[in-house]
């Protein structure tokens, strides 16, 4: 269990974040906001009324100082990083912030894209997998042949993804030891076009929007069923909501905040979810996992070229197009629409760093340790540093939600 001091602190963080969100929406006109989801549907927490960013800055400076007194080491670090991220966001809105500083200060990530050596290594692993599956020709030819074999036509996506979501629910229920709601509470599928995302979990209306502009495949849809659904975003939101209402999680878990210390682990849980439930059980699934990692890597490359190196959008798009092995023009264009939006430009790094952090923390756990780790993972907001503090937190008596 978290201490009363930390639960109380989480309530202060909740209202302060809502205050910055309100201020940002009003001055920017961005309807998505900083807090893109608020699960406090009863309105128990009212956002602080900040006349300007000056007052918001003072509030988060005070919160940051107070975080040092929290008894749990992982909470002390996380809330310090949350305040750091929010103060950086305020600075960005007040006078601007370089793209490198956004990466370092919003996400606490290195201000660099995935390296050329890393991209080469990932392409080599993809090539090895395709060779073993019997595909011939150069890498682009192999990838195109594989994609065509497992392709799902746009008019079949709804049915295929709905079935995969049902399987993912059942498997998650088995591997996580139960689900916090009946299956009827789960996600429904809506196909869309022309959006700047591949898929999106709209938890508030229990809908996954799946963009059918890119070329879609069965293993890709299986990944999205896990990522957007189970044990990914739906389970993250449902467990956080359930634990907050039970008083075992701090109130700020009711918010989903972008450009923040928690962004990378939020995406990392979803991307690593297929391994949590041991569902990467075919060669196609294992290849898809590599392709997903590769896409995250080249996404950082395109965003860095556009915002860091100041390439034109056309040149950055051409670079991404040349690197992409799957997805077709639809994937390239919707990924660039995501990357090009200044309020979301840094977030592509959360996919690149998040899975690595979660995988490292999950490795080697089994039995009771794994069960306790999953409560730690889902019941608290995490940065890429705190997600790896499970063992030291428990050893120090920091507890986990029950």
């Amino acid at each position: 269990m978290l201490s009363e001091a930390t639960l109380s602190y989480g309530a202060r963080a909740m209202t302060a974040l809502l205050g910055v969100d309100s201020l940002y929406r009003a001055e920017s006109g961005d309807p998505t906001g900083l807090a893109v989801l608020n699960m406090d549907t009863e309105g128990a927490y009212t956002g602080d009324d900040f006349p300007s960013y000056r007052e918001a800055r003072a509030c988060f400076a005070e919160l940051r100082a107070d975080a040092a007194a929290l008894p749990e080491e992982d909470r002390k670090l996380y809330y310090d990083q949350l305040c750091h991220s929010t103060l950086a966001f305020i600075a960005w809105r007040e006078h601007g912030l370089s793209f490198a500083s956004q990466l370092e200060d919003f996400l606490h990530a290195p201000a660099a894209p995935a390296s050329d050596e890393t991209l080469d290594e990932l392409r080599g692993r993809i090539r090895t997998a395709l060779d073993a599956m019997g595909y011939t020709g150069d890498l682009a030819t192999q990838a195109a042949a594989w994609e065509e074999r497992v392709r799902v036509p746009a008019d079949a996506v709804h049915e295929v993804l709905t079935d995969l979501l049902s399987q993912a629910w059942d498997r998650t229920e088995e591997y996580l030891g139960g689900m916090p709601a009946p299956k009827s509470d789960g996600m429904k599928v809506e196909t869309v076009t022309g959006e700047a995302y591949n898929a999106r979990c709209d938890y508030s209306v229990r809908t996954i929007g799946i963009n059918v502009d890119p070329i879609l495949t069965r293993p890709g849809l299986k990944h999205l069923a896990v990522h957007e659904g189970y044990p990914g975003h739906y389970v993250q939101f449902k467990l956080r909501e359930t634990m907050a209402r039970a008083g075992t999680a701090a109130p700020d878990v009711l918010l989903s905040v972008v450009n923040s210390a928690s962004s990378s682990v939020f995406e990392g849980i979803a991307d690593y979810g297929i391994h949590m439930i041991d569902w990467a059980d075919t060669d196609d699934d294992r290849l898809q996992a590599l392709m997903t990692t590769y896409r995250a890597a080249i996404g950082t490359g395109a965003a860095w070229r556009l915002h860091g190196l100041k390439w034109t959008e056309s040149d950055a798009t051409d670079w991404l197009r040349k690197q992409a092995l799957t997805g077709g023009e639809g994937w390239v264009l919707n990924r660039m629409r995501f990357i090009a939006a200044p309020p979301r430009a840094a977030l592509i790094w959360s996919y690149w760093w998040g899975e690595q952090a979660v995988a490292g923390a999950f490795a080697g756990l089994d039995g009771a340790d794994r069960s306790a780790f999953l409560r730690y993972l889902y019941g608290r907001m995490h940065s890429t540093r705190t997600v790896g503090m499970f063992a030291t937190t428990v050893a120090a008596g920091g507890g986990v939600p029950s």
Side-chain angles (χ1 to χ4, degrees):
M1 283 288 293
L2 291 172
S3 65
E4 286 299 323
T6 298
L7 294 173
S8 177
Y9 184 99
R12 291 173 59 200
M14 170 84 166
T15 60
L17 285 166
L18 286 173
V20 174
D21 174 68
S22 179
L23 192 61
Y24 169 64
R25 289 173 188 260
E27 61 88 3
S28 69
D30 179 358
T32 305
L34 174 66
V36 298
L37 175 67
N38 180 2
M39 293 179 283
D40 176 26
T41 54
E42 293 84 7
Y45 299 93
T46 302
D48 292 343
D49 184 11
F50 297 129
S52 72
Y53 283 120
R54 178 181 178 180
E55 289 79 11
R57 189 176 351 104
C59 176
F60 274 92
E62 181 179 349
L63 278 168
R64 189 175 191 185
D66 291 347
L70 296 175
E72 303 92 351
E73 290 299 318
D74 72 300
R75 296 302 84 198
K76 187 182 299 185
L77 175 58
Y78 171 73
Y79 284 119
D80 177 82
Q81 292 183 299
L82 169 67
C83 292
H84 182 121
S85 297
T86 311
L87 287 166
F89 184 85
I90 290 169
W92 176 59
R93 297 312 301 167
E94 286 183 311
H95 50 72
L97 209 59
S98 71
F99 189 61
S101 293
Q102 290 176 44
L103 295 173
E104 292 172 337
D105 295 329
F106 292 173
L107 304 182
H108 305 267
S115 68
D116 290 342
E117 293 77 15
T118 297
L119 296 183
D120 286 342
E121 189 265 339
L122 285 168
R123 283 189 287 260
R125 292 171 63 191
I126 292 169
R127 179 64 182 260
T128 297
L130 287 165
D131 285 346
M133 294 168 73
Y135 292 95
T136 59
D138 62 19
L139 181 56
T141 300
Q142 289 178 305
W146 173 77
E147 182 175 56
E148 185 59 32
R149 180 178 66 80
V150 294
R151 183 172 186 170
V152 175
D155 60 3
V157 165
H158 188 282
E159 179 181 358
V160 171
L161 183 54
T162 298
D163 176 64
L164 288 168
L165 280 165
S166 178
Q167 293 182 54
W169 179 285
D170 294 342
R171 201 169 183 96
T172 300
E173 188 168 37
E174 175 188 355
Y175 275 77
L176 268 61
M179 291 285 270
K183 200 171 187 178
S184 58
D185 186 66
M187 305 298 287
K188 304 298 186 289
V189 177
E190 178 183 13
T191 57
V192 300
T193 61
E195 298 289 351
Y197 56 79
N198 293 318
R200 183 179 66 181
C201 170
D202 190 343
Y203 177 78
S204 62
V205 293
R206 302 297 194 271
T207 299
I208 295 173
I210 177 75
N211 193 337
V212 296
D213 289 335
I215 296 171
L216 296 169
T217 66
R218 183 176 180 84
L221 290 173
K222 187 175 179 180
H223 166 78
L224 291 175
V226 167
H227 184 109
E228 306 296 341
Y230 333 110
H233 293 333
Y234 168 87
V235 176
Q236 291 172 280
F237 291 139
K238 192 67 184 181
L239 282 174
R240 281 157 49 177
E241 183 180 25
T242 302
M243 290 177 179
R245 296 191 195 290
T248 59
D252 59 298
V253 303
L254 292 170
L255 297 180
S256 181
V257 180
V258 296
N259 291 321
S260 193
S262 61
S263 298
S264 293
V265 172
F266 176 73
E267 298 299 346
I269 292 170
D271 272 341
Y272 193 70
I274 197 164
H275 302 292
M276 287 185 190
I277 59 173
D278 197 23
W279 205 23
D281 52 6
T282 70
D283 288 341
D284 289 331
D285 295 332
R286 289 182 282 272
L287 177 57
Q288 179 61 49
L290 284 173
M291 289 289 191
T292 299
T293 301
Y294 178 68
R295 281 183 168 184
I298 61 176
T300 68
W304 184 256
R305 283 160 176 78
L306 180 63
H307 298 288
L309 301 181
K310 304 300 183 184
W311 284 21
T312 67
E313 188 168 338
S314 176
D315 286 346
T317 301
D318 286 343
W319 182 88
L320 185 61
R321 186 179 291 115
K322 290 173 183 175
Q323 310 307 312
L325 295 172
T326 56
E329 188 69 2
W331 181 81
V332 171
L333 295 181
N334 79 29
R335 184 58 26 177
M336 284 304 303
R337 282 196 290 270
F338 182 97
I339 288 167
R344 304 291 178 262
L347 284 176
I348 195 69
W349 265 256
S350 63
Y351 298 90
W352 176 234
W353 288 110
E355 184 180 9
Q356 299 176 51
V358 174
F362 194 79
L365 296 172
D366 56 33
D369 281 349
R370 179 169 292 186
S371 177
F373 172 74
L374 290 172
R375 295 196 301 275
Y376 173 78
L377 182 66
Y378 283 96
R380 304 182 184 193
M381 305 301 292
H382 283 290
S383 72
T384 54
R385 289 177 62 190
T386 66
V387 75
M389 294 176 68
F390 168 68
T392 55
T393 296
V394 172
V400 294
S402 57

